[in-house]
Amino acid sequence: MKIENKNLAFFNFTIKPEKVEGGDSSFAKYLKVALSELETQEFLQKTQEEKTQMAFNKIEQTLGVLESMVNSSLSSSKAETIGDFLLSQAMEIDKIVSSLPESYTKKFIKDWAFLLGVEAQKIKKGFYS
């Protein structure tokens, strides 16, 4: 099987030595760092509109989870799982929005992320069980 060079020209998997901790690092750690750098490069190339749309999509997805949660009973393990998911979504939204310039839209999305984080903590603590 021959690998075409044109398919590999766009990716640079060179990792600086200081990014991988320890002298006896495993391939899994190396791959994780390489993939996170690739993901970061893809994210940096997105426009403001794309980043804003990503944040709104994540908000819509988390609101769907909250809405479905309203009509069901929550066990403690299910509440903790949903809370962890909502908290991770809130952190991702905050990370996406942090790269945007100051505007009312950014403040609005950050407020939603904060609200989702608060609700996630309430769910994890069992307020809605």
Side-chain angles (χ1 to χ4, degrees):
M1 180 172 144
K2 184 177 179 184
I3 298 175
E4 296 291 327
N5 287 341
K6 65 180 181 179
N7 296 333
L8 299 176
F10 298 109
F11 300 107
N12 182 5
F13 288 107
T14 306
I15 299 176
K16 298 175 185 166
E18 64 271 6
K19 292 248 179 171
V20 180
E21 296 98 21
D24 58 339
S25 62
S26 66
F27 178 73
K29 287 182 184 178
Y30 178 85
L31 184 60
K32 185 177 179 181
V33 171
L35 291 175
S36 68
E37 283 192 359
L38 184 61
E39 183 178 282
T40 302
Q41 289 300 320
E42 289 176 358
F43 179 74
L44 291 175
Q45 293 174 356
K46 292 191 182 291
T47 64
Q48 283 182 293
E49 293 82 18
E50 290 173 329
K51 290 177 185 176
T52 304
Q53 189 61 43
M54 281 175 58
F56 279 126
N57 289 342
K58 287 203 174 284
I59 289 172
E60 187 176 3
Q61 180 185 15
T62 53
L63 289 177
V65 170
L66 281 173
E67 186 178 347
S68 68
M69 187 194 78
V70 170
N71 299 324
S72 65
S73 63
L74 291 178
S75 65
S76 61
S77 62
K78 188 175 180 181
E80 191 166 333
T81 302
I82 291 174
D84 286 339
F85 172 75
L86 292 176
L87 192 58
S88 70
Q89 292 296 323
M91 287 184 202
E92 284 183 31
I93 292 168
D94 190 53
K95 181 181 172 186
I96 291 168
V97 174
S98 66
S99 65
L100 296 174
E102 290 299 320
S103 66
Y104 290 112
T105 305
K106 179 179 179 176
K107 289 178 184 176
F108 175 76
I109 295 172
K110 282 185 96 46
D111 288 345
W112 267 105
F114 179 76
L115 174 71
L116 288 172
V118 169
E119 290 303 311
Q121 290 296 335
K122 285 181 175 180
I123 292 167
K124 284 178 70 169
K125 299 278 186 193
F127 278 56
Y128 302 115
S129 296

